[in-house]
Amino acid sequence: MELKKSDYYYDLPEELIAQDPLQDRSSSRLLHVDKISGECKHYHFTNVLDFLQAGDCLVLNDTKVIPARLYGIKEETGAVIEVLLLKNLGDRCYEVLVKPGKKARPGAVLNFGDGLLKGTVVDVLEEGNRKIQFEYEGIFEEILDKLGEMPLPPYIHNKLEDKNRYQTVYAANPGSAAAPTAGLHFTRELLEKAEDKGVKIAYVTLHVGLGTFRPVKEDNILNHHMHSESYEVTEETAQIVNETKQNGGRVICVGTTSVRCVESASSEDGILKAGCGDTEIFIYPGYRFKIPDGLITNFHLPESTLLMLVSAMAGRETILSAYKEAIEKRYRFFSFGDAMLIL
């Protein structure tokens, strides 16, 4: 069986890549795609409440982006090194992306912030990532706040004035190298209005690594390897989601990361299980969803695994047709862009 990467290509004018967040989070546009008929309609994000009913459940990813981009020097030579933290491996060790990689061989010592933080390259991992063990005094998160930068995607060229704008209003558990961007549209007020309407809010945690955004290099997407990301589902969330399904309510995931989390944590018969784990789940057309009935998401890069995931929910042709219409209507794309509701 072969699924071609090129089947998920579309042509995007560069000026439609959103460079800055809107002043009001919830003022972005919303493209509703009816996943049965494929029909598209245009709204503002606040209209999302009109689609939600009492008894439905919104699943949100409460991961918090850490200032994961660090600039330091190699002690031996003074060479400047850029390090991007990808995954906490425990014991003060992180899986990281290093530029330039050839200067970060095992044994190399990296110095950040005049010695406030030091790191030793312990190992070379798959695809050239490094394992670094850090030395520091105090609290790692506080040191990162001082030294680190928010790891904005490479297609965003403008400087982010307010770090919190690359953070959801409900971000709680630090650990992500990228934001679950569909959630950036929600304000506290909008979430309160949803709850007032009888919609349950359930939180999961999936720490977003760069694997989610890595380009698919294989022509046959079945040969693409997804990187592992850690997740957690609490007993409370499992109960809310399972009761919603049992009572005939709809589960609507906010973001592809929430989808990947609940699908990884559910049994074949569609029961969400509480617990922690790592997932390499890769969702593409032909996949049978166990938990979500709908999805709120942003517009994704051509030929990306995220575009393949949303195509699994509504059909490739439906999604590419919706993207074509969004381009014609001058929607804003990617992390700081507009939103899509598939329901």
Side-chain angles (χ1 to χ4, degrees):
M1 182 182 177
E2 184 170 327
L3 292 170
K4 289 183 181 171
K5 175 179 76 168
S6 56
D7 287 341
Y8 297 88
Y9 180 79
Y10 68 92
D11 200 18
L12 180 70
E14 196 170 338
E15 68 269 17
L16 295 186
I17 300 172
Q19 292 297 321
D20 301 289
L22 295 177
Q23 201 160 4
D24 171 14
R25 286 175 181 265
S26 61
S27 64
S28 58
R29 294 161 79 188
L30 178 71
L31 176 61
H32 171 233
V33 178
D34 186 308
K35 70 175 187 177
I36 306 301
S37 70
E39 187 182 8
C40 293
K41 289 189 176 172
H42 306 276
Y43 300 91
H44 283 100
F45 192 77
T46 48
N47 294 121
V48 77
L49 294 173
D50 302 335
F51 293 92
L52 302 176
Q53 303 164 2
D56 287 345
C57 170
L58 279 177
V59 178
L60 300 104
N61 182 7
D62 67 4
T63 187
K64 191 172 188 179
V65 186
I66 57 175
R69 183 168 276 127
L70 293 162
Y71 294 93
I73 58 167
K74 186 178 173 187
E75 284 201 345
E76 196 182 348
T77 62
V80 176
I81 299 265
E82 179 188 332
V83 168
L84 186 63
L85 306 180
L86 297 180
K87 191 176 182 187
N88 186 346
L89 301 174
D91 194 28
R92 296 191 171 201
C93 291
Y94 269 80
E95 180 178 348
V96 304
L97 198 63
V98 181
K99 286 184 191 172
K102 60 180 181 292
K103 294 187 186 298
R105 295 193 175 93
V109 178
L110 312 178
N111 188 319
F112 307 92
D114 295 327
L116 194 61
L117 180 67
K118 283 192 176 185
T120 303
V121 180
V122 178
D123 200 2
V124 179
L125 307 175
E126 63 174 321
E127 296 198 18
N129 290 352
R130 301 305 198 258
K131 178 181 179 180
I132 288 185
Q133 184 160 41
F134 288 104
E135 295 170 49
Y136 53 87
E137 289 189 8
I139 298 166
F140 189 60
E141 284 73 22
E142 288 179 2
I143 293 169
L144 273 190
D145 275 339
K146 275 184 192 166
L147 302 180
E149 291 182 5
M150 279 306 209
L152 292 179
Y155 49 75
I156 292 177
H157 308 301
N158 293 0
K159 188 170 171 57
L160 185 64
E161 297 304 326
D162 178 2
K163 275 186 185 179
N164 288 325
R165 291 312 309 274
Y166 194 57
Q167 213 69 277
T168 62
V169 297
Y170 46 82
N173 294 309
S176 272
T181 54
L184 295 178
H185 303 284
F186 280 96
T187 59
R188 294 195 186 284
E189 182 190 17
L190 207 53
L191 290 170
E192 282 167 13
K193 283 182 177 175
E195 286 186 291
D196 289 345
K197 202 171 177 179
V199 176
K200 292 274 194 298
I201 309 285
Y203 294 97
V204 296
T205 305
L206 183 136
H207 292 315
V208 190
L210 283 195
T212 302
F213 304 99
R214 252 182 213 282
V216 177
K217 291 176 181 165
E218 305 284 350
D219 290 333
N220 180 0
I221 66 172
L222 300 183
N223 297 328
H224 176 71
H225 171 62
M226 289 288 280
H227 281 65
S228 169
E229 294 171 318
S230 57
Y231 70 85
E232 181 178 3
V233 176
T234 63
E235 292 282 0
E236 182 187 11
T237 286
Q239 186 177 346
I240 292 170
V241 169
N242 291 331
E243 283 179 0
T244 299
K245 301 291 277 186
Q246 285 160 14
N247 296 335
R250 299 171 303 172
V251 174
I252 295 139
C253 284
V254 176
T256 55
T257 60
S258 300
V259 173
R260 296 179 71 245
C261 182
V262 297
E263 289 298 287
S264 300
S266 60
S267 59
E268 283 306 313
D269 55 354
I271 304 296
L272 186 60
K273 308 280 190 187
C276 304
D278 291 301
T279 181
E280 294 180 351
I281 193 169
F282 179 17
I283 296 173
Y284 48 82
Y287 183 87
R288 291 177 67 100
F289 290 94
K290 302 185 282 287
I291 301 289
D293 301 290
L295 171 64
I296 296 168
T297 186
N298 279 22
F299 291 89
H300 303 294
L301 276 76
E303 300 185 334
S304 63
T305 60
L306 305 182
L307 183 56
M308 292 163 193
L309 185 153
V310 295
S311 297
M313 183 157 279
R316 183 184 72 88
E317 288 175 8
T318 295
I319 291 296
L320 289 179
S321 172
Y323 272 51
K324 185 169 181 282
E325 194 165 325
I327 290 167
E328 286 167 3
K329 301 271 189 193
R330 312 294 290 173
Y331 273 65
R332 300 164 75 250
F333 275 61
F334 305 163
S335 296
F336 288 139
D338 294 315
M340 174 185 276
L341 169 65
I342 303 171
L343 192 63

